[in-house]
Amino acid sequence: GHMHDRGVLSLLNGLFGQGDKVLNVLVKAVDKPEATNTIKNLLLMVGTLGTINVQQLEPLLLKLNSGVARVAEYKDTDEKTSYLDLVKALKDPEVNRAVTLLITFLKGMGEDTSDMERNTQLPEDQKMHKMEKNERDVPPNKRE
């Protein structure tokens, strides 16, 4: 009833009534190289999103939000930060934690992850795939 009230049923009826024409337009649209590349990128992005550990990402996002809030409150002036100001700022525990966090993040970004890349290796050669296969081969009572 709600679909009929909103006109969804008449829209679907029209689409199916002109099915060959609609299908022809869709095939032509998807046949373009940029559409094919878009679909490929979308699938890669969805696969990559599945590898993100949101529980580990949440504290970082909260810190990022806090930093953005402080920058939004910042009043832009012509005042310049000197080298001595930078050294003094490192004594501030919040600044020191942030710098340590950034250095740790940069170290993680510098790690070799080529064995985990999905788009440059066959699935059977990927580290993630091998780990999943090994987990399937280990009986549940022997897993950690």
Side-chain angles (χ1 to χ4, degrees), residues 6-138:
R6 303 225 184 235
V8 174
L9 292 179
S10 38
L11 174 69
L12 290 174
N13 190 22
L15 281 174
F16 287 124
Q18 300 293 319
D20 291 340
K21 291 179 183 176
V22 171
L23 187 60
N24 188 26
V25 169
L26 285 174
V27 168
K28 284 182 180 178
V30 174
D31 195 32
K32 296 178 182 174
E34 58 271 9
T36 306
N37 201 29
T38 300
I39 293 169
K40 178 182 162 188
N41 288 343
L42 183 63
L43 291 172
L44 183 61
M45 286 174 53
V46 168
T48 302
L49 283 175
T51 64
I52 294 175
N53 185 339
V54 179
Q55 289 176 333
Q56 291 176 335
L57 190 60
E58 183 185 20
L60 181 64
L61 291 176
L62 292 172
K63 290 175 193 232
L64 183 66
N65 283 341
S66 177
V68 169
R70 286 204 182 187
V71 168
E73 294 171 2
Y74 175 72
K75 304 291 183 217
D76 195 16
T77 63
D78 290 336
E79 185 180 325
K80 296 192 178 202
T81 304
S82 69
Y83 292 115
L84 187 58
D85 291 333
L86 288 174
V87 173
K88 286 180 184 176
L90 286 174
K91 291 182 180 180
D92 181 345
E94 290 177 346
V95 172
N96 195 290
R97 271 194 303 273
V99 169
T100 303
L101 180 72
L102 285 173
I103 290 171
T104 305
F105 179 75
L106 291 173
K107 285 181 181 180
M109 294 230 2
E111 285 182 5
D112 182 21
T113 58
S114 59
D115 59 337
M116 298 172 82
E117 291 179 8
R118 294 176 177 218
N119 61 346
T120 57
Q121 298 178 4
L122 297 173
E124 57 270 11
D125 295 333
Q126 294 172 10
K127 184 177 183 180
M128 298 292 278
H129 181 75
K130 287 179 182 179
M131 288 171 42
E132 290 170 4
K133 183 179 182 301
N134 289 342
E135 286 179 7
R136 285 192 307 255
D137 293 342
V138 176

